[in-house]
């Protein structure tokens, strides 16, 4: 028995359930990418950072595939480009965290120090 994935059925499912798919994938992209950045900032092992970046990039890849189903039928609107941009930014941050973890860590430490300086009352 051979099972063949029918792309048209998967694409139709993706378009039919667009609201639910985007409601799940957009926050998961952001949360998983933020988790990669946190792992990098607190000095987790490269293996843990790689695993988190791979998971975050998986969410981004699924989001790109979902958007591509809309492009396939000719739907070209602002939300499709916004979602592609979001996925590209998330993948870029995850690659950056793998390639240059010290850069990400320094940027996060700088942002934290800015927040601390801003929140401290002047005496």
């Amino acid at each position: 028995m051979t099972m063949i994935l029918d792309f048209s059925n998967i694409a139709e499912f993706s378009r039919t359930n667009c609201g639910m798919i985007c409601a799940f994938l957009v926050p998961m992209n952001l949360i998983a990418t933020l988790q990669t950045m946190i792992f990098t900032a607190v000095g987790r092992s490269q293996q843990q950072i790689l695993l988190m970046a791979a998971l975050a990039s998986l969410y981004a890849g699924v989001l790109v595939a979902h958007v591509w189903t809309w492009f396939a039928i000719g739907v070209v609107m602002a939300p499709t480009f916004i979602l592609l941009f979001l996925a590209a930014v998330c993948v870029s941050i995850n690659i950056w965290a793998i390639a240059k973890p010290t850069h990400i860590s320094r940027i996060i430490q700088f942002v934290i120090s800015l927040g601390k300086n801003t929140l401290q009352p002047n005496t």
Side-chain angles (χ1 to χ4, degrees):
M1 182 172 159
T2 304
M3 184 184 291
I4 299 174
L5 288 176
D6 185 14
F7 177 72
S8 62
N9 287 339
I10 295 171
E12 187 61 34
F13 174 82
S14 177
R15 290 188 297 269
T16 302
N17 298 294
C18 182
M20 289 184 291
I21 290 170
C22 288
F24 173 75
L25 287 176
V26 169
M28 290 311 296
N29 263 299
L30 296 172
I31 291 168
T33 301
L34 178 63
Q35 187 66 42
T36 302
M37 294 171 67
I38 291 169
F39 275 18
T40 304
V42 298
R44 292 287 181 109
S45 71
Q46 189 68 16
Q47 195 173 24
Q48 289 176 324
I49 294 170
L50 182 61
L51 181 63
M52 197 64 228
L55 180 64
S57 296
L58 176 70
Y59 290 127
V62 172
L63 185 61
V64 169
H66 169 64
V67 170
W68 208 254
T69 66
W70 286 104
F71 284 150
I73 62 168
V75 176
V76 179
M77 297 172 33
T80 54
F81 290 108
I82 292 167
L83 291 172
L84 281 179
F85 179 74
L86 171 70
V89 167
C90 288
V91 168
S92 299
I93 290 171
N94 286 300
I95 290 171
W96 189 19
I98 294 167
K100 302 285 185 180
T102 55
H103 290 171
I104 295 263
S105 186
R106 275 192 249 138
I107 289 170
I108 292 171
Q109 296 301 328
F110 175 73
V111 170
I112 290 171
S113 70
L114 283 177
K116 285 180 181 177
N117 292 337
T118 304
L119 296 175
Q120 289 179 350
N122 292 334
T123 52

